[in-house]
């Protein structure tokens, strides 16, 4: 496991000459995510990331505690979802006595049987679950049970406990329970809408809401609001996927032209946009849009192991459950290669130096905005071997600003400098008075790495077979912070031409980058000469 983590999740700053591509293994296949290259400093610093914990505890520190009130029917904002105050002992202790199977430490829920946790999710006339619990359980439960199976159990419990199937059911009792069940469904459909792309989910939702709405116009309207909100979200996702498909088709066509006529690239980014701040703004548009479509469950499902107590049956089999996360990773890789392409395709040394300095300024503006993902992608592109070997070109570049940026993203001490900057950006976001100050776009691969280590380092179940809920409090805390960041609306004006260029301009492959680099500044040693001859021969054979 340690070797696997070093190879696939070694989130280090790419040294000059290394590839910026990220890879992650998801259910046996590989997607681009963590850097391929090794880094001595980063391997040493892996010790700074916790990789194990004792059963029933994670990292030796207090875990999440009770969230803010039950202000129904409003879905809670995420910034205040996980404060540090203690749980209400009376509220939760009565639930333990009533249902059993739930265990607490210092008034915090630490473990329980799956059935007891499901029961704890279902509201009654006198009880509504804490909203941090709802988010945490809906996020983590998919490691043990399919969402459609969970919805079916919730529906069954609601119907049986509240006697909703009884035609003679007490209407007064129904009026008391209906708002709470509708609030739970609102929480679920608002926060995890992609669960409802499953027809079985929609069928259970329809059956339950039909029972709640029967005979009362007020609840029928509330059910319509829940359903319409869910449909809007799913429609937006479908439209996003269609737009991505069109972008990919355009990119494929342009790549075909590039391979047939490499000299066909006439336009470069400087001819389209010479203002670093404007380009940083457009990069931020792309980042925030793609972040906004990543569902919180994708962080769990991307690394979702098979539950050993479910006969090795994966809860995600047969479904592409981390597609938006994968798309975001592909964007990082594309931006890195685009930066390298823009530099290497410039014929004159003076122009190459100007392009490098331009991207250094763009990266600095990204840092100031709080767009750390684009910042790292740009640095990664400039540290690729075909770019870093251009010594004559770099000799004409004022590198002081680049050195500062590399220092900020230095991987030593578990990315201490970056994490400090991220905390500052997050604090600015919390106290922000403008949309511009709310932007926080994390270095995504490192975020995934932190979640992965937590997921792998703590057991999902305790030796007793109970769900290790203490682990999932911590996991939910990290994911909920991401949820806050992804909800920010980009305040900058969109420039369609620049966005189109960033998303569809053809980029060189690694071989094409190397060849362009050698054509710009000839090989300096035997290894580079052999590589150059091999690339030219390969190109001629293709022609």
């Amino acid at each position: 496991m340690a070797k696997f983590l070093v190879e696939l999740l070694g989130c280090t700053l790419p040294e000059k000459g290394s590839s910026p591509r990220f890879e992650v293994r998801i259910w046996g296949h590989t997607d681009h995510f963590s850097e391929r290259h090794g880094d001595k400093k980063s391997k040493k610093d892996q010790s700074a990331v916790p990789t194990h914990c004792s059963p029933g505890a994670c990292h030796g520190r207090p875990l999440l505690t009770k969230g803010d009130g039950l202000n129904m029917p409003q879905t809670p904002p995420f910034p205040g979802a996980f404060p540090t105050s203690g749980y209400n002992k009376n509220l939760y202790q009565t639930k333990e006595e009533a249902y059993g199977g739930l265990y607490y430490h210092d008034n915090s829920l630490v473990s329980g049987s799956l059935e007891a946790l499901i029961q704890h999710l279902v509201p009654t006339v006198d009880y509504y679950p804490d909203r941090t619990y709802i988010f945490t359980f809906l996020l983590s439960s998919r490691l043990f049970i399919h969402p459609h199976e969970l919805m079916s159990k919730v529906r069954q419990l609601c119907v049986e406990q509240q006697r909703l199937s009884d035609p003679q059911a007490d209407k007064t009792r129904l009026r008391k329970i209906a708002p709470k069940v509708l609030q739970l469904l609102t929480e679920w459909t608002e926060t995890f809408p992609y669960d409802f792309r499953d027809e079985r989910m929609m069928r259970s939702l329809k059956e339950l809401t039909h029972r709640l709405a029967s005979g009362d116009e007020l609840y029928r309207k509330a059910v319509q609001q829940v359903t319409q909100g869910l449909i809007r979200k799913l429609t937006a996702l479908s439209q996003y996927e269609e737009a991505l498909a069109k972008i990919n088709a355009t990119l494929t066509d342009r790549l075909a032209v590039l391979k047939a006529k490499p000299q066909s690239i006439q336009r470069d980014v400087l001819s389209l946009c010479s203002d670093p701040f404007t380009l940083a703004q457009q990069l931020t548009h792309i980042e925030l849009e793609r972040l906004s479509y990543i569902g919180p469950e994708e962080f769990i499902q991307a690394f979702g192991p098979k539950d050993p107590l479910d006969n090795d049956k994966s809860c995600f089999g047969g479904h592409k459950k981390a597609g938006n996360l994968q798309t975001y990773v592909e964007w990082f890789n594309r931006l890195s290669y685009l930066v390298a392409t823009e530099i290497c395709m410039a014929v004159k040394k003076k122009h190459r130096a100007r392009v490098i300095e331009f991207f250094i300024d763009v990266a600095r503006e990204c840092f100031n905005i709080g767009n750390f993902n684009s910042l790292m992608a740009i640095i990664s592109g400039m540290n690729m071997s075909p770019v870093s070997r251009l010594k004559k070109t770099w000799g004409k570049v004022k590198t002081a600003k680049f050195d500062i940026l590399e220092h900020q993203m230095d991987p030593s001490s578990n990315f201490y400098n970056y994490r400090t900057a991220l905390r500052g950006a997050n604090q600015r976001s919390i106290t922000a008075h403008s949309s511009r100050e709310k932007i926080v776009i994390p270095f995504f691969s490192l975020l995934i790495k932190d979640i992965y280590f937590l997921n792998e380092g703590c057991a999902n179940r305790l030796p007793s077979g109970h769900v290790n809920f203490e682990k999932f409090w911590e996991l939910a805390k990290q994911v909920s912070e991401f949820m806050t960041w992804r909800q920010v609306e980009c305040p900058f004006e969109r420039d369609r031409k620049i966005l189109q260029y960033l998303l569809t301009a053809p980029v060189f492959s690694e071989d094409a980058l190397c060849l362009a680099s050698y054509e710009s500044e000839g090989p300096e040693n035997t290894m580079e000469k052999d590589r150059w001859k091999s690339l030219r021969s390969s190109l001629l054979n293709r022609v």
Side-chain angles (χ1 to χ4, degrees), residues 189-190 193-194 196-197 202 205 223-239:
T189 56
E190 283 286 327
Y194 303 163
F196 294 85
R197 297 188 100 177
M202 292 299 289
L205 176 65
V223 166
Q224 287 178 357
Q225 290 178 348
V226 172
T227 305
Q228 290 171 358
L230 176 60
I231 292 174
R232 282 195 298 270
K233 284 180 176 290
L234 295 181
T235 301
L237 175 62
S238 296
Q239 292 172 344

PDB file of all heavy atoms in Angstrom, residues 189-190 193-194 196-197 202 205 223-239:
ATOM      1  N   THR A 189     -31.918  15.581  -1.671  1.00  0.00           N
ATOM      2  CA  THR A 189     -31.965  15.966  -3.079  1.00  0.00           C
ATOM      3  C   THR A 189     -31.119  17.196  -3.377  1.00  0.00           C
ATOM      4  O   THR A 189     -30.596  17.347  -4.483  1.00  0.00           O
ATOM      5  CB  THR A 189     -33.419  16.224  -3.520  1.00  0.00           C
ATOM      6  OG1 THR A 189     -34.010  17.228  -2.662  1.00  0.00           O
ATOM      7  CG2 THR A 189     -34.248  14.959  -3.449  1.00  0.00           C
ATOM      8  N   GLU A 190     -30.974  18.084  -2.395  1.00  0.00           N
ATOM      9  CA  GLU A 190     -30.157  19.287  -2.602  1.00  0.00           C
ATOM     10  C   GLU A 190     -28.667  18.970  -2.578  1.00  0.00           C
ATOM     11  O   GLU A 190     -27.899  19.513  -3.372  1.00  0.00           O
ATOM     12  CB  GLU A 190     -30.474  20.320  -1.513  1.00  0.00           C
ATOM     13  CG  GLU A 190     -31.769  21.074  -1.719  1.00  0.00           C
ATOM     14  CD  GLU A 190     -31.662  22.101  -2.830  1.00  0.00           C
ATOM     15  OE1 GLU A 190     -30.571  22.668  -3.014  1.00  0.00           O
ATOM     16  OE2 GLU A 190     -32.668  22.314  -3.519  1.00  0.00           O
ATOM     17  N   PRO A 193     -27.851  15.248  -5.321  1.00  0.00           N
ATOM     18  CA  PRO A 193     -28.854  15.075  -6.394  1.00  0.00           C
ATOM     19  C   PRO A 193     -28.518  13.953  -7.356  1.00  0.00           C
ATOM     20  O   PRO A 193     -29.422  13.342  -7.938  1.00  0.00           O
ATOM     21  CB  PRO A 193     -28.853  16.439  -7.095  1.00  0.00           C
ATOM     22  CG  PRO A 193     -27.506  17.017  -6.810  1.00  0.00           C
ATOM     23  CD  PRO A 193     -27.164  16.544  -5.432  1.00  0.00           C
ATOM     24  N   TYR A 194     -27.216  13.664  -7.542  1.00  0.00           N
ATOM     25  CA  TYR A 194     -26.840  12.656  -8.534  1.00  0.00           C
ATOM     26  C   TYR A 194     -27.279  11.256  -8.124  1.00  0.00           C
ATOM     27  O   TYR A 194     -27.385  10.366  -8.975  1.00  0.00           O
ATOM     28  CB  TYR A 194     -25.331  12.669  -8.781  1.00  0.00           C
ATOM     29  CG  TYR A 194     -24.796  14.016  -9.227  1.00  0.00           C
ATOM     30  CD1 TYR A 194     -23.448  14.317  -9.171  1.00  0.00           C
ATOM     31  CD2 TYR A 194     -25.653  15.008  -9.717  1.00  0.00           C
ATOM     32  CE1 TYR A 194     -22.959  15.552  -9.581  1.00  0.00           C
ATOM     33  CE2 TYR A 194     -25.184  16.241 -10.125  1.00  0.00           C
ATOM     34  CZ  TYR A 194     -23.834  16.507 -10.047  1.00  0.00           C
ATOM     35  OH  TYR A 194     -23.357  17.732 -10.445  1.00  0.00           O
ATOM     36  N   PHE A 196     -30.132  10.531  -7.541  1.00  0.00           N
ATOM     37  CA  PHE A 196     -31.474  10.374  -8.097  1.00  0.00           C
ATOM     38  C   PHE A 196     -31.470  10.226  -9.620  1.00  0.00           C
ATOM     39  O   PHE A 196     -32.534  10.272 -10.246  1.00  0.00           O
ATOM     40  CB  PHE A 196     -32.356  11.550  -7.662  1.00  0.00           C
ATOM     41  CG  PHE A 196     -32.600  11.570  -6.177  1.00  0.00           C
ATOM     42  CD1 PHE A 196     -31.691  12.168  -5.308  1.00  0.00           C
ATOM     43  CD2 PHE A 196     -33.713  10.950  -5.640  1.00  0.00           C
ATOM     44  CE1 PHE A 196     -31.904  12.169  -3.935  1.00  0.00           C
ATOM     45  CE2 PHE A 196     -33.941  10.946  -4.278  1.00  0.00           C
ATOM     46  CZ  PHE A 196     -33.020  11.551  -3.412  1.00  0.00           C
ATOM     47  N   ARG A 197     -30.305  10.004 -10.184  1.00  0.00           N
ATOM     48  CA  ARG A 197     -30.252   9.617 -11.594  1.00  0.00           C
ATOM     49  C   ARG A 197     -30.630   8.138 -11.739  1.00  0.00           C
ATOM     50  O   ARG A 197     -30.797   7.648 -12.857  1.00  0.00           O
ATOM     51  CB  ARG A 197     -28.855   9.865 -12.168  1.00  0.00           C
ATOM     52  CG  ARG A 197     -28.440  11.319 -12.162  1.00  0.00           C
ATOM     53  CD  ARG A 197     -27.145  11.532 -12.915  1.00  0.00           C
ATOM     54  NE  ARG A 197     -27.401  12.036 -14.247  1.00  0.00           N
ATOM     55  CZ  ARG A 197     -26.455  12.368 -15.113  1.00  0.00           C
ATOM     56  NH1 ARG A 197     -25.184  12.238 -14.793  1.00  0.00           N
ATOM     57  NH2 ARG A 197     -26.767  12.812 -16.314  1.00  0.00           N
ATOM     58  N   MET A 202     -35.736   7.454  -7.788  1.00  0.00           N
ATOM     59  CA  MET A 202     -36.866   8.306  -8.129  1.00  0.00           C
ATOM     60  C   MET A 202     -38.198   7.613  -7.814  1.00  0.00           C
ATOM     61  O   MET A 202     -39.150   8.252  -7.370  1.00  0.00           O
ATOM     62  CB  MET A 202     -36.813   8.680  -9.606  1.00  0.00           C
ATOM     63  CG  MET A 202     -35.666   9.599  -9.972  1.00  0.00           C
ATOM     64  SD  MET A 202     -35.727  11.199  -9.110  1.00  0.00           S
ATOM     65  CE  MET A 202     -37.124  11.961  -9.946  1.00  0.00           C
ATOM     66  N   LEU A 205     -38.665   7.825  -4.067  1.00  0.00           N
ATOM     67  CA  LEU A 205     -38.979   9.218  -3.727  1.00  0.00           C
ATOM     68  C   LEU A 205     -40.428   9.534  -4.062  1.00  0.00           C
ATOM     69  O   LEU A 205     -41.147  10.157  -3.265  1.00  0.00           O
ATOM     70  CB  LEU A 205     -38.034  10.153  -4.485  1.00  0.00           C
ATOM     71  CG  LEU A 205     -38.282  11.658  -4.309  1.00  0.00           C
ATOM     72  CD1 LEU A 205     -38.022  12.069  -2.868  1.00  0.00           C
ATOM     73  CD2 LEU A 205     -37.409  12.460  -5.271  1.00  0.00           C
ATOM     74  N   VAL A 223     -43.943  19.154  -1.910  1.00  0.00           N
ATOM     75  CA  VAL A 223     -43.403  18.032  -2.687  1.00  0.00           C
ATOM     76  C   VAL A 223     -43.022  18.494  -4.088  1.00  0.00           C
ATOM     77  O   VAL A 223     -41.976  18.115  -4.625  1.00  0.00           O
ATOM     78  CB  VAL A 223     -44.429  16.879  -2.749  1.00  0.00           C
ATOM     79  CG1 VAL A 223     -44.034  15.865  -3.824  1.00  0.00           C
ATOM     80  CG2 VAL A 223     -44.545  16.199  -1.399  1.00  0.00           C
ATOM     81  N   GLN A 224     -43.854  19.326  -4.689  1.00  0.00           N
ATOM     82  CA  GLN A 224     -43.556  19.855  -6.023  1.00  0.00           C
ATOM     83  C   GLN A 224     -42.257  20.659  -6.015  1.00  0.00           C
ATOM     84  O   GLN A 224     -41.450  20.568  -6.953  1.00  0.00           O
ATOM     85  CB  GLN A 224     -44.712  20.723  -6.514  1.00  0.00           C
ATOM     86  CG  GLN A 224     -45.951  19.940  -6.914  1.00  0.00           C
ATOM     87  CD  GLN A 224     -47.096  20.844  -7.343  1.00  0.00           C
ATOM     88  OE1 GLN A 224     -46.981  22.073  -7.290  1.00  0.00           O
ATOM     89  NE2 GLN A 224     -48.193  20.241  -7.771  1.00  0.00           N
ATOM     90  N   GLN A 225     -42.044  21.440  -4.957  1.00  0.00           N
ATOM     91  CA  GLN A 225     -40.820  22.238  -4.858  1.00  0.00           C
ATOM     92  C   GLN A 225     -39.585  21.347  -4.772  1.00  0.00           C
ATOM     93  O   GLN A 225     -38.562  21.605  -5.415  1.00  0.00           O
ATOM     94  CB  GLN A 225     -40.897  23.154  -3.636  1.00  0.00           C
ATOM     95  CG  GLN A 225     -41.901  24.290  -3.773  1.00  0.00           C
ATOM     96  CD  GLN A 225     -41.992  25.148  -2.529  1.00  0.00           C
ATOM     97  OE1 GLN A 225     -41.478  24.779  -1.472  1.00  0.00           O
ATOM     98  NE2 GLN A 225     -42.661  26.287  -2.629  1.00  0.00           N
ATOM     99  N   VAL A 226     -39.682  20.287  -3.983  1.00  0.00           N
ATOM    100  CA  VAL A 226     -38.561  19.347  -3.860  1.00  0.00           C
ATOM    101  C   VAL A 226     -38.268  18.702  -5.209  1.00  0.00           C
ATOM    102  O   VAL A 226     -37.119  18.640  -5.663  1.00  0.00           O
ATOM    103  CB  VAL A 226     -38.866  18.266  -2.801  1.00  0.00           C
ATOM    104  CG1 VAL A 226     -37.789  17.174  -2.824  1.00  0.00           C
ATOM    105  CG2 VAL A 226     -38.940  18.888  -1.414  1.00  0.00           C
ATOM    106  N   THR A 227     -39.333  18.230  -5.856  1.00  0.00           N
ATOM    107  CA  THR A 227     -39.168  17.534  -7.138  1.00  0.00           C
ATOM    108  C   THR A 227     -38.639  18.470  -8.219  1.00  0.00           C
ATOM    109  O   THR A 227     -37.735  18.109  -8.978  1.00  0.00           O
ATOM    110  CB  THR A 227     -40.511  16.936  -7.586  1.00  0.00           C
ATOM    111  OG1 THR A 227     -41.024  16.088  -6.552  1.00  0.00           O
ATOM    112  CG2 THR A 227     -40.341  16.115  -8.854  1.00  0.00           C
ATOM    113  N   GLN A 228     -39.192  19.670  -8.289  1.00  0.00           N
ATOM    114  CA  GLN A 228     -38.755  20.621  -9.316  1.00  0.00           C
ATOM    115  C   GLN A 228     -37.296  21.044  -9.113  1.00  0.00           C
ATOM    116  O   GLN A 228     -36.540  21.187 -10.070  1.00  0.00           O
ATOM    117  CB  GLN A 228     -39.671  21.840  -9.317  1.00  0.00           C
ATOM    118  CG  GLN A 228     -41.073  21.548  -9.847  1.00  0.00           C
ATOM    119  CD  GLN A 228     -42.038  22.699  -9.632  1.00  0.00           C
ATOM    120  OE1 GLN A 228     -41.678  23.740  -9.048  1.00  0.00           O
ATOM    121  NE2 GLN A 228     -43.271  22.540 -10.094  1.00  0.00           N
ATOM    122  N   GLY A 229     -36.908  21.233  -7.842  1.00  0.00           N
ATOM    123  CA  GLY A 229     -35.516  21.574  -7.557  1.00  0.00           C
ATOM    124  C   GLY A 229     -34.573  20.470  -7.991  1.00  0.00           C
ATOM    125  O   GLY A 229     -33.495  20.730  -8.549  1.00  0.00           O
ATOM    126  N   LEU A 230     -34.957  19.226  -7.745  1.00  0.00           N
ATOM    127  CA  LEU A 230     -34.130  18.082  -8.149  1.00  0.00           C
ATOM    128  C   LEU A 230     -34.033  17.992  -9.666  1.00  0.00           C
ATOM    129  O   LEU A 230     -32.937  17.785 -10.211  1.00  0.00           O
ATOM    130  CB  LEU A 230     -34.734  16.799  -7.582  1.00  0.00           C
ATOM    131  CG  LEU A 230     -34.060  15.483  -7.990  1.00  0.00           C
ATOM    132  CD1 LEU A 230     -32.607  15.471  -7.558  1.00  0.00           C
ATOM    133  CD2 LEU A 230     -34.811  14.298  -7.402  1.00  0.00           C
ATOM    134  N   ILE A 231     -35.142  18.180 -10.340  1.00  0.00           N
ATOM    135  CA  ILE A 231     -35.134  18.118 -11.809  1.00  0.00           C
ATOM    136  C   ILE A 231     -34.245  19.203 -12.400  1.00  0.00           C
ATOM    137  O   ILE A 231     -33.510  18.976 -13.374  1.00  0.00           O
ATOM    138  CB  ILE A 231     -36.571  18.223 -12.351  1.00  0.00           C
ATOM    139  CG1 ILE A 231     -37.362  16.957 -11.977  1.00  0.00           C
ATOM    140  CG2 ILE A 231     -36.572  18.425 -13.865  1.00  0.00           C
ATOM    141  CD1 ILE A 231     -38.829  17.026 -12.337  1.00  0.00           C
ATOM    142  N   ARG A 232     -34.282  20.397 -11.804  1.00  0.00           N
ATOM    143  CA  ARG A 232     -33.415  21.481 -12.289  1.00  0.00           C
ATOM    144  C   ARG A 232     -31.941  21.097 -12.174  1.00  0.00           C
ATOM    145  O   ARG A 232     -31.147  21.345 -13.099  1.00  0.00           O
ATOM    146  CB  ARG A 232     -33.685  22.773 -11.518  1.00  0.00           C
ATOM    147  CG  ARG A 232     -34.933  23.527 -11.953  1.00  0.00           C
ATOM    148  CD  ARG A 232     -34.939  24.948 -11.414  1.00  0.00           C
ATOM    149  NE  ARG A 232     -34.961  24.962  -9.955  1.00  0.00           N
ATOM    150  CZ  ARG A 232     -36.066  24.965  -9.227  1.00  0.00           C
ATOM    151  NH1 ARG A 232     -37.253  24.941  -9.823  1.00  0.00           N
ATOM    152  NH2 ARG A 232     -36.006  25.008  -7.911  1.00  0.00           N
ATOM    153  N   LYS A 233     -31.578  20.511 -11.066  1.00  0.00           N
ATOM    154  CA  LYS A 233     -30.179  20.121 -10.861  1.00  0.00           C
ATOM    155  C   LYS A 233     -29.755  19.032 -11.849  1.00  0.00           C
ATOM    156  O   LYS A 233     -28.659  19.083 -12.428  1.00  0.00           O
ATOM    157  CB  LYS A 233     -29.971  19.640  -9.426  1.00  0.00           C
ATOM    158  CG  LYS A 233     -29.924  20.764  -8.398  1.00  0.00           C
ATOM    159  CD  LYS A 233     -29.707  20.216  -6.993  1.00  0.00           C
ATOM    160  CE  LYS A 233     -29.565  21.352  -5.985  1.00  0.00           C
ATOM    161  NZ  LYS A 233     -28.302  22.098  -6.142  1.00  0.00           N
ATOM    162  N   LEU A 234     -30.604  18.042 -12.045  1.00  0.00           N
ATOM    163  CA  LEU A 234     -30.269  16.945 -12.951  1.00  0.00           C
ATOM    164  C   LEU A 234     -30.247  17.425 -14.401  1.00  0.00           C
ATOM    165  O   LEU A 234     -29.428  16.965 -15.208  1.00  0.00           O
ATOM    166  CB  LEU A 234     -31.263  15.802 -12.781  1.00  0.00           C
ATOM    167  CG  LEU A 234     -31.239  15.107 -11.411  1.00  0.00           C
ATOM    168  CD1 LEU A 234     -32.246  13.967 -11.368  1.00  0.00           C
ATOM    169  CD2 LEU A 234     -29.842  14.596 -11.074  1.00  0.00           C
ATOM    170  N   THR A 235     -31.129  18.369 -14.743  1.00  0.00           N
ATOM    171  CA  THR A 235     -31.122  18.941 -16.086  1.00  0.00           C
ATOM    172  C   THR A 235     -29.841  19.724 -16.332  1.00  0.00           C
ATOM    173  O   THR A 235     -29.230  19.627 -17.406  1.00  0.00           O
ATOM    174  CB  THR A 235     -32.343  19.860 -16.285  1.00  0.00           C
ATOM    175  OG1 THR A 235     -33.539  19.103 -16.094  1.00  0.00           O
ATOM    176  CG2 THR A 235     -32.345  20.464 -17.686  1.00  0.00           C
ATOM    177  N   ALA A 236     -29.431  20.503 -15.330  1.00  0.00           N
ATOM    178  CA  ALA A 236     -28.182  21.277 -15.455  1.00  0.00           C
ATOM    179  C   ALA A 236     -26.993  20.341 -15.642  1.00  0.00           C
ATOM    180  O   ALA A 236     -26.084  20.624 -16.439  1.00  0.00           O
ATOM    181  CB  ALA A 236     -27.984  22.153 -14.220  1.00  0.00           C
ATOM    182  N   LEU A 237     -26.987  19.221 -14.935  1.00  0.00           N
ATOM    183  CA  LEU A 237     -25.899  18.254 -15.081  1.00  0.00           C
ATOM    184  C   LEU A 237     -25.882  17.675 -16.497  1.00  0.00           C
ATOM    185  O   LEU A 237     -24.811  17.555 -17.112  1.00  0.00           O
ATOM    186  CB  LEU A 237     -26.052  17.135 -14.058  1.00  0.00           C
ATOM    187  CG  LEU A 237     -25.042  15.982 -14.180  1.00  0.00           C
ATOM    188  CD1 LEU A 237     -23.618  16.488 -13.978  1.00  0.00           C
ATOM    189  CD2 LEU A 237     -25.366  14.874 -13.182  1.00  0.00           C
ATOM    190  N   SER A 238     -27.047  17.329 -17.026  1.00  0.00           N
ATOM    191  CA  SER A 238     -27.115  16.784 -18.379  1.00  0.00           C
ATOM    192  C   SER A 238     -26.629  17.801 -19.410  1.00  0.00           C
ATOM    193  O   SER A 238     -25.906  17.457 -20.360  1.00  0.00           O
ATOM    194  CB  SER A 238     -28.556  16.358 -18.700  1.00  0.00           C
ATOM    195  OG  SER A 238     -28.970  15.305 -17.850  1.00  0.00           O
ATOM    196  N   GLN A 239     -27.012  19.063 -19.229  1.00  0.00           N
ATOM    197  CA  GLN A 239     -26.569  20.112 -20.148  1.00  0.00           C
ATOM    198  C   GLN A 239     -25.056  20.313 -20.062  1.00  0.00           C
ATOM    199  O   GLN A 239     -24.392  20.534 -21.082  1.00  0.00           O
ATOM    200  CB  GLN A 239     -27.306  21.410 -19.839  1.00  0.00           C
ATOM    201  CG  GLN A 239     -28.792  21.352 -20.152  1.00  0.00           C
ATOM    202  CD  GLN A 239     -29.550  22.584 -19.664  1.00  0.00           C
ATOM    203  OE1 GLN A 239     -29.041  23.356 -18.837  1.00  0.00           O
ATOM    204  NE2 GLN A 239     -30.759  22.790 -20.181  1.00  0.00           N
TER     205      GLN A 239
END
